[in-house]
Coordinates of all heavy atoms in Angstrom, one line a residue:
A684 N 0.2 -95.5 7.0 CA 1.3 -95.5 7.9 C 2.6 -96.1 7.2 O 3.7 -95.5 7.3 CB 1.0 -96.3 9.2
L685 N 2.4 -97.2 6.6 CA 3.5 -98.0 6.0 C 3.8 -97.6 4.6 O 4.8 -98.1 4.0 CB 3.3 -99.5 6.2 CG 3.0 -100.0 7.6 CD1 2.7 -101.5 7.6 CD2 4.2 -99.7 8.5
G686 N 2.9 -96.8 4.0 CA 3.2 -96.3 2.6 C 2.9 -97.5 1.6 O 3.7 -97.6 0.6
V687 N 1.8 -98.2 1.8 CA 1.4 -99.3 0.9 C 0.6 -98.6 -0.3 O -0.6 -98.4 -0.1 CB 0.6 -100.4 1.6 CG1 0.4 -101.5 0.6 CG2 1.4 -100.9 2.8
A688 N 1.2 -98.4 -1.4 CA 0.6 -97.6 -2.4 C -0.7 -98.2 -2.9 O -1.7 -97.5 -3.1 CB 1.6 -97.3 -3.6
E689 N -0.7 -99.5 -3.1 CA -1.8 -100.2 -3.8 C -3.1 -100.1 -2.9 O -4.2 -100.3 -3.4 CB -1.5 -101.6 -4.3 CG -1.1 -102.6 -3.2 CD 0.4 -102.6 -3.0 OE1 1.1 -101.5 -3.3 OE2 1.0 -103.6 -2.5
D690 N -2.9 -100.0 -1.6 CA -4.1 -99.9 -0.7 C -4.4 -98.5 -0.3 O -5.3 -98.3 0.5 CB -3.8 -100.7 0.6 CG -3.8 -102.2 0.4 OD1 -4.4 -102.6 -0.7 OD2 -3.3 -103.0 1.2
T691 N -3.7 -97.5 -0.8 CA -4.0 -96.1 -0.5 C -4.8 -95.5 -1.6 O -4.4 -95.5 -2.7 CB -2.7 -95.3 -0.3 OG1 -1.8 -96.0 0.6 CG2 -2.9 -93.9 0.2
P692 N -6.0 -94.9 -1.2 CA -6.8 -94.3 -2.2 C -6.0 -93.1 -2.9 O -5.2 -92.5 -2.2 CB -8.0 -93.7 -1.4 CG -8.0 -94.5 -0.2 CD -6.6 -94.9 0.1
P693 N -6.2 -92.9 -4.2 CA -5.3 -92.1 -5.0 C -5.2 -90.6 -4.4 O -4.2 -90.0 -4.6 CB -5.9 -92.1 -6.4 CG -7.3 -92.7 -6.2 CD -7.3 -93.5 -5.0
H694 N -6.3 -90.1 -3.9 CA -6.2 -88.7 -3.4 C -5.8 -88.5 -2.0 O -5.8 -87.4 -1.4 CB -7.5 -88.0 -3.7 CG -8.0 -88.1 -5.1 ND1 -7.2 -87.7 -6.2 CD2 -9.1 -88.7 -5.7 CE1 -7.8 -88.0 -7.3 NE2 -8.9 -88.6 -7.0
V695 N -5.5 -89.6 -1.3 CA -5.0 -89.5 0.1 C -3.5 -89.4 0.0 O -2.8 -90.4 -0.2 CB -5.4 -90.8 0.9 CG1 -4.8 -90.7 2.3 CG2 -6.9 -90.8 1.0
V696 N -3.0 -88.2 0.2 CA -1.5 -88.0 0.2 C -1.1 -87.4 1.5 O -1.3 -86.2 1.8 CB -1.1 -87.0 -1.0 CG1 0.4 -86.9 -1.0 CG2 -1.6 -87.5 -2.3
A697 N -0.7 -88.3 2.4 CA -0.5 -87.9 3.8 C 0.9 -87.4 4.0 O 1.9 -87.9 3.5 CB -0.8 -89.1 4.7
G698 N 1.0 -86.4 4.9 CA 2.3 -85.9 5.3 C 2.8 -86.7 6.5 O 2.2 -87.7 7.0
K699 N 3.9 -86.3 7.1 CA 4.5 -86.9 8.2 C 3.6 -87.1 9.4 O 3.4 -88.2 9.9 CB 5.7 -86.0 8.6 CG 6.5 -86.4 9.7 CD 7.9 -85.6 9.7 CE 7.8 -84.3 10.3 NZ 9.1 -83.6 10.5
E700 N 2.9 -86.1 9.7 CA 2.0 -86.1 10.9 C 0.9 -87.1 10.7 O 0.6 -87.9 11.6 CB 1.5 -84.7 11.2 CG 0.7 -84.6 12.5 CD 0.9 -83.3 13.1 OE1 1.9 -82.6 12.9 OE2 0.1 -83.0 14.0
D701 N 0.3 -87.1 9.5 CA -0.8 -88.0 9.3 C -0.4 -89.5 9.2 O -1.1 -90.4 9.7 CB -1.6 -87.6 8.1 CG -2.5 -86.4 8.3 OD1 -3.0 -86.3 9.4 OD2 -2.5 -85.5 7.4
R702 N 0.8 -89.7 8.7 CA 1.3 -91.1 8.7 C 1.6 -91.6 10.1 O 1.3 -92.7 10.4 CB 2.6 -91.1 7.8 CG 2.3 -91.0 6.3 CD 3.4 -91.3 5.4 NE 4.0 -92.6 5.5 CZ 5.0 -93.1 4.8 NH1 5.6 -92.3 3.9 NH2 5.4 -94.3 4.9
F703 N 2.1 -90.7 10.9 CA 2.3 -91.1 12.3 C 1.0 -91.2 13.1 O 0.9 -92.0 14.0 CB 3.3 -90.2 13.0 CG 4.8 -90.6 12.7 CD1 5.4 -90.1 11.6 CD2 5.5 -91.4 13.6 CE1 6.7 -90.4 11.3 CE2 6.8 -91.8 13.3 CZ 7.4 -91.3 12.2

Side-chain angles (χ1 to χ4, degrees):
L685 302 177
V687 185
E689 60 271 25
D690 285 344
T691 309
H694 305 304
V695 175
V696 185
K699 180 163 83 171
E700 188 144 339
D701 285 321
R702 287 187 64 178
F703 278 86

